[in-house]
Amino acid sequence: MASEDIAQLADALSKTHVGDGELSFKGLGLKLDDAESVRELVSQIERYPGLRALRLEGNTVGVDAARAIAKALESKDRLQRCYWSDMFTGRLRSEIPTALMSLSGALMSAGARLTELDLSDNAFGPDGVRGIEQLLKSPSCHILRELRLNNCGMGTGGGKILAEALIESHKKSAALGSPLRLKVFIAGRNRLENDGATALAKAFQLMGSLEEIHMPQNGINYAGVTALASAIRHNPELQVLNFNDNTFTKRGTLAMAQALRHLRNVQVINFGDCLVRSEGAIALAAVLREGLPILKELNLSFGEITEGAALIVAQAVMDKPHMEKVNLNGNCLGEDGCEVLREIMDNMDKGDMLASLSEDEGEPDDEEDEDSDEGDSDASDECYETNVCDEIVKENGTDEGSPEKPESQAEILAFLSSPSAEDLCRMKMNLQQQVNASEPNKAADIFLKLGSLYSEDTETQFAVFEMIDEVLKKILSASALQSTCFLTTLMVLMGVLKGEGKAKKVSLVPGQLLCLEHAVQQEYFTQEHASLLYTMLSRNCDALKSFSSARERLSSALEKKKPNHH
């Protein structure tokens, strides 16, 4: 090593921070290629008897230098925290796993018990995960609490290796009587995609101890999101969820909403740039109303959310006592919508809570089809049934057993395929058996079919209202999330709310609105239901304009029923 290089290194090392059990070479910009280049650094490590934390971030370490550092670490059995991010700049990708294996081997040889490991900003790919695989499985990581692997380019392969290592570590540590209880997991910008996310979800569910999950920008869509949602409900201490810039769409958002119902300690939710869209945002608002008692921050920016849905979210967050910030920027509110949202928040003295709306995308074009991986609305509903609501169906019970007479079931199905007022008055049907809160599309379809039979004829009107009451009493008595999903589905089918994908076009008649007016006045239709419907209807002035009289009657009933927000 040239004398000027040694002088430069000596100068840099003079800035080394020592204290509180920590030795820091952070940000010195050292180019450490071989044993000679790390001689002074190694000497400092060796002379630090109670070393608990080692910071090497912001330097670049070659294979031979890593071996020399590793040799010094073999006696550091009290080392707990390794801050080794941004440590391989300019190194060949093939070098990094070898360097990591040397360092990992030293930690295991020393019998170190790590609580924090940060290897972020090291572009080591799947092979790099192999470099720390044995360390993660070893007793040196059995009490690991924080694992940071942000921006490492792991890919799906690395995600799977990492997941298996965490699962094995949990099994081994559990067998010793003290299972791995990881609290913080950070792995943004890793191209994990669905397969990597699904593999990690299994590890998360097994551990059940996470308090923070940060997985932004990983190319995860609804399949991976749904797997993660299943896992997070088994982590009751979760406080921070950051899935920014993945692709939830309606299916993924509904799965997340369902999972969030089970969590009481969440303080920060970042679903920004996740395409939660309007139906997803309204579902999350329903969960906000009934749970998440200590939520402080909600980010639903850049999610293609329209004005009505944004207002429903705003109404839900205003009742949260700990709420500090809600971000709805970059959505599709339009200039008037942004103004109304600000006004509502200001009127409740919550204006400071609302993030800037400077990047709003403007009102959506009604003519354009939204890009969606959802397929048609039936496919979306099917996934919702199977993945999202199974547990609630079990909790609430179902009435889907066989009726007393098999013929009556066949008659009901025949009626629903071709409904008539005459058959409705003649037949004695229990339509509650045909609807389930986990099937919002089916329930909304039955409501619209019944509503289409509305007539001023007293007998028919009575029969229609009786059936409507029977159906809605069951649907709207379900959880806030399920009843909200039904109402939003109904509004999409009626053209009041822009839905995801290509929803079926329903031919409306005034009677359906008048049936809704009747329902609003009943006890089973709560103030919250009325507020939700009123907001959606009032923010879409063009909807139902062909039925101005029936619309006015419905709006009037909703206004009387909804709680006043002044």
Side-chain angles (χ1 to χ4, degrees), residues 486-531:
F486 164 74
L487 291 171
T488 52
T489 301
L490 186 62
M491 291 298 100
V492 169
L493 292 175
M494 293 175 73
V496 173
L497 182 70
K498 187 174 177 65
E500 184 172 80
K502 297 175 182 176
K504 294 173 184 173
K505 301 291 182 188
V506 176
S507 297
L508 296 179
V509 293
Q512 291 155 332
L513 275 67
L514 297 174
C515 285
L516 209 43
E517 179 208 12
H518 161 81
V520 168
Q521 297 171 58
Q522 308 310 307
E523 195 174 324
Y524 58 74
F525 207 100
T526 67
Q527 287 188 324
E528 284 71 26
H529 296 144
S531 179

Side-chain angles (χ1 to χ4, degrees), residues 193-195 197-198 201 220-230 247-249 251-252 255 373-374 383 387:
E193 300 179 352
N194 287 338
D195 287 349
T198 301
I220 306 167
N221 68 27
Y222 75 87
V225 171
T226 301
L228 288 166
S230 297
T247 308
F248 282 28
T249 59
R251 272 192 275 189
D373 60 4
E374 294 291 306
C383 182
N387 290 332

Side-chain angles (χ1 to χ4, degrees), residues 317-455:
V317 301
M318 282 192 284
D319 293 332
K320 311 307 287 184
H322 302 280
M323 201 72 189
E324 295 171 5
K325 186 177 183 184
V326 58
N327 189 345
L328 291 164
N329 198 14
N331 284 299
C332 305
L333 279 62
E335 199 172 322
D336 290 345
C338 289
E339 194 55 43
V340 170
L341 180 57
R342 287 191 198 98
E343 192 178 313
I344 285 176
M345 298 293 279
D346 284 338
N347 288 346
M348 294 292 289
D349 201 25
K350 304 279 188 181
D352 292 344
M353 185 192 292
L354 184 65
S356 167
L357 298 172
S358 61
E359 296 180 78
D360 188 75
E361 299 280 347
E363 294 181 49
D365 182 355
D366 288 336
E367 298 305 312
E368 70 185 21
D369 284 329
E370 294 187 57
D371 291 332
S372 169
D373 60 4
E374 294 291 306
D376 60 38
S377 57
D378 285 343
S380 168
D381 201 38
E382 183 184 345
C383 182
Y384 177 73
E385 292 163 37
T386 54
N387 290 332
V388 180
C389 284
D390 286 348
E391 182 169 321
I392 297 188
V393 173
K394 288 172 191 166
E395 287 170 5
N396 291 346
T398 69
D399 297 315
E400 295 185 311
S402 299
E404 290 177 20
K405 296 181 180 178
E407 315 87 77
S408 64
Q409 173 74 356
E411 283 182 349
I412 290 171
L413 294 174
F415 166 78
L416 290 173
S417 68
S418 182
S420 72
E422 185 184 349
D423 286 344
L424 181 65
C425 294
R426 177 179 58 81
M427 295 167 66
K428 290 291 181 187
M429 289 183 288
N430 179 6
L431 279 184
Q432 277 195 348
Q433 290 183 335
Q434 301 304 313
V435 295
N436 194 295
S438 67
E439 300 175 302
N441 266 39
K442 184 177 177 183
D445 186 53
I446 288 175
F447 173 86
L448 291 172
K449 282 177 176 174
L450 290 171
S452 70
L453 303 179
Y454 175 89
S455 160

Side-chain angles (χ1 to χ4, degrees), residues 278 281-282 305-317 326 328 331-333 337 341 345 535:
S278 295
I282 293 169
I305 298 167
T306 53
E307 178 189 356
L311 295 178
I312 289 164
V313 170
Q315 288 164 2
V317 301
V326 58
L328 291 164
N331 284 299
C332 305
L333 279 62
L341 180 57
M345 298 293 279
T535 302

Side-chain angles (χ1 to χ4, degrees), residues 63-79:
V63 172
D64 290 338
R67 286 197 184 106
I69 294 170
K71 187 74 178 165
L73 291 176
E74 286 178 358
S75 62
K76 303 302 173 185
D77 60 338
R78 297 175 70 183
L79 188 61

Side-chain angles (χ1 to χ4, degrees), residues 208-271:
S209 55
L210 287 163
E211 294 177 8
E212 296 186 25
I213 301 176
H214 301 260
M215 294 174 69
Q217 272 187 292
N218 269 298
I220 306 167
N221 68 27
Y222 75 87
V225 171
T226 301
L228 288 166
S230 297
I232 68 171
R233 65 192 295 174
H234 295 281
N235 287 263
E237 301 305 315
L238 263 172
Q239 296 171 25
V240 179
L241 273 178
N242 177 5
F243 292 118
N244 190 284
D245 198 9
N246 290 291
T247 308
F248 282 28
T249 59
K250 174 184 169 183
R251 272 192 275 189
T253 311
L254 290 175
M256 273 295 170
Q258 167 61 12
L260 287 168
R261 291 182 68 240
H262 299 264
L263 303 175
R264 308 290 296 172
N265 294 302
V266 177
Q267 296 178 34
V268 178
I269 293 174
N270 186 345
F271 295 164

